[in-house]
Amino acid sequence: MDVIVGADLAQQIDMWHDAEILRTLVRVGVVPRPGGSTVVPDGWESYEIPMEPVDLSSSFIREVPPTLENLKKFIPASVIPLYQSSRG
């Protein structure tokens, strides 16, 4: 299984809850971010996702008022229903 993170979080994955267990279960795909390092701590299987750096974070998306108009600015239309269902 893969987990995708932004380069701004790649160095922090050792601090995640149950990181020792997660390390044995997943590969980490790292999306380039402005000013972020795509290097993950030792012991993680990882790869860089080849694309232009993205200046958009999941934290930002969670803070945007979840109107359909707002979401269409930042999330592909096919992903919006999944996002909305995960927010309850």
Side-chain angles (χ1 to χ4, degrees), residues 15-63:
M15 296 181 287
W16 290 5
H17 179 74
D18 289 333
E20 308 81 29
I21 296 169
L22 192 60
R23 185 183 299 116
T24 67
L25 299 174
V26 302
R27 292 184 321 152
V28 180
V30 182
V31 175
R33 294 282 307 274
S37 169
T38 57
V39 177
V40 300
D42 289 339
W44 292 84
E45 184 178 347
S46 66
Y47 58 96
E48 183 176 344
I49 297 173
M51 58 185 281
E52 291 297 315
V54 176
D55 192 15
L56 183 65
S57 70
S58 60
S59 298
F60 172 80
I61 294 296
R62 286 190 299 271
E63 293 170 4

